Amino acid sequence: GPLSKRRLMDVRLGELPAWLATCDFSPQGLLGGVQKAWNSYYDKYINVKRGGPAGISMLLAGYCLLSYGWNYQHISK
Amino acid sequence: VLHATRPLHTAQQCLAPLPPLPEKGGEVRYGLIPEEFFQFLYPKTGVTGPYMLGTGLLLYFLSKEIYVINHETVAAACILSVIIYGVKKFGSDVAAFADKLNEEKVAKALAVKNEAIKDLETAIEQEKKEQWRVEGRSYLFDAKRNNIAMLLETNYRERLLMVYNEVKKRLDYQVAMQNLKRQKEQDHMIQWVEKNVIQSITPQQQKESIAKCILDLKALSKSAQAVV
């Protein structure tokens, strides 16, 4: 389909800047993007009948990495 | 009346009933990395590609001190080991428990639905019975009509009887009056006649009649003695 309607995973590497240009970077747009991303993650890994540890463990791992990144300056002293 | 000045049916159509939840979530290897990553690298690097990538990245971070090893590393390692041991040991039990809870919820909802269906079916049965009863309307109305006719007839006959009785009473009164009048006239006339007759009997006639009676009696006594 048209470039703006495609999801990130379906965009080819060369088209990435063009795709970024069509993105909506206003606060509502960003919020909508975050909402969609969270909804897709939630529907795929958490909102299932027989989930496992995968759903929250990936969130926790992401949180660990993020906090390590924020505190890197302090740690590397 | 719906004044449709705004467009209707613009939101996305919601499917009802909702599609059921997927059975299992997306595949994740080692609980951290989705399968898509492995599949993404498979055509180029084969099976061991992602592992090599992981090892290389790890060694790079360690050597370049992007990831420093301090007391927190030991703490993280201990915590991770405990968590993994706990999940491996009690995972299935927790999963069974959660499944049981879900089952109960679903069973309750199903029970409610079945109850509602049963109630509606009994309602349908009763409705059909009522419809069957409606067919007997004609008999009901015939019976009512008969009742009313009988009431009217009874009333009519009662009134007829009353009229008859009243008329008879009046006629009886007239008859009694006439009888009374005749009676009175008769009595009066008899008394008048008797009075006049008694008045007309002179004393002399009385003596003569008494003497005649005595002679008759003697004659009779003689004839009676003779018979005895």
Side-chain angles (χ1 to χ4, degrees):
Chain A
L3 189 56
S4 59
K5 293 274 190 289
R6 270 191 262 170
R7 302 150 60 153
L8 183 54
M9 287 293 137
D10 300 333
V11 170
R12 304 235 104 87
L13 202 57
E15 300 169 354
L16 199 55
W19 183 84
L20 275 176
T22 66
C23 253
D24 183 15
F25 284 114
S26 66
Q28 287 100 327
L30 280 176
L31 202 62
V34 168
Q35 185 91 345
K36 256 195 335 187
W38 164 253
N39 277 344
S40 53
Y41 176 80
Y42 182 76
D43 286 334
K44 183 147 185 218
Y45 290 107
I46 303 186
N47 199 13
V48 295
K49 271 192 209 164
R50 304 173 53 100
I56 37 168
S57 75
M58 278 200 280
L59 284 173
L60 287 174
Y63 167 70
C64 286
L65 287 174
L66 205 64
S67 61
Y68 186 83
W70 281 338
N71 293 341
Y72 180 65
Q73 293 284 20
H74 170 78
I75 290 179
S76 70
K77 272 203 270 276
Chain B
V1 178
L2 186 62
H3 296 286
T5 52
R6 57 180 171 84
L8 302 169
H9 290 292
T10 45
Q12 196 149 30
Q13 186 187 28
C14 75
L15 317 149
L18 282 177
L21 286 178
E23 274 290 327
K24 290 170 68 65
E27 276 288 322
V28 170
R29 224 190 265 208
Y30 295 114
L32 275 181
I33 306 165
E35 272 295 321
E36 277 85 5
F37 187 64
F38 291 85
Q39 298 301 327
F40 179 63
L41 290 178
Y42 180 77
K44 288 286 174 2
T45 58
V47 178
T48 54
Y51 296 111
M52 289 294 116
L53 180 66
T55 316
L57 272 176
L58 192 63
L59 290 175
Y60 168 69
F61 286 145
L62 282 173
S63 64
K64 282 280 189 177
E65 285 274 304
I66 297 181
Y67 176 69
V68 293
I69 300 196
N70 48 10
H71 62 285
E72 285 178 13
T73 313
V74 179
C78 294
I79 292 175
L80 269 178
S81 58
V82 165
I83 288 178
I84 289 180
Y85 173 74
V87 163
K88 278 271 183 329
K89 189 135 183 211
F90 303 113
S92 50
D93 290 340
V94 169
F97 177 70
D99 282 342
K100 199 156 65 78
L101 287 179
N102 252 5
E103 271 292 319
E104 283 170 15
K105 276 194 227 164
V106 164
K108 251 190 267 183
L110 255 180
V112 165
K113 182 180 97 162
N114 286 343
E115 272 290 326
I117 286 182
K118 243 196 328 222
D119 287 339
L120 286 173
E121 275 183 3
T122 46
I124 288 178
E125 293 295 312
Q126 280 173 348
E127 188 60 37
K128 283 212 167 71
K129 198 150 174 226
E130 292 298 318
Q131 282 176 348
W132 166 79
R133 280 203 188 129
V134 157
E135 291 171 14
R137 256 186 322 188
S138 57
Y139 299 121
L140 188 69
F141 291 156
D142 278 342
K144 285 196 184 228
R145 237 177 270 136
N146 281 349
N147 276 356
I148 290 178
M150 216 171 300
L151 274 176
L152 285 174
E153 185 74 27
T154 312
N155 210 352
Y156 171 70
R157 286 194 190 180
E158 270 177 4
R159 290 191 193 172
L160 209 58
L161 184 68
M162 194 168 72
V163 162
Y164 165 78
N165 282 341
E166 289 294 310
V167 168
K168 184 153 183 309
K169 272 198 287 191
R170 277 157 183 69
L171 290 176
D172 283 344
Y173 172 74
Q174 292 296 330
V175 161
M177 278 282 285
Q178 280 181 355
N179 283 350
L180 184 70
K181 199 158 170 205
R182 175 160 309 163
Q183 185 92 3
K184 283 282 177 252
E185 284 173 357
Q186 262 183 353
D187 288 343
H188 186 258
M189 201 175 293
I190 289 171
Q191 269 181 358
W192 187 79
V193 163
E194 277 183 4
K195 194 169 73 174
N196 279 355
V197 163
I198 288 174
Q199 268 180 352
S200 71
I201 296 179
T202 62
Q204 199 213 343
Q205 273 182 325
Q206 212 169 358
K207 266 194 234 168
E208 281 182 17
S209 58
I210 286 177
K212 184 88 179 357
C213 286
I214 291 174
L215 280 174
D216 282 335
L217 273 171
K218 281 187 184 160
L220 270 171
S221 69
K222 278 190 194 142
S223 61
Q225 274 182 347
V227 167
V228 168

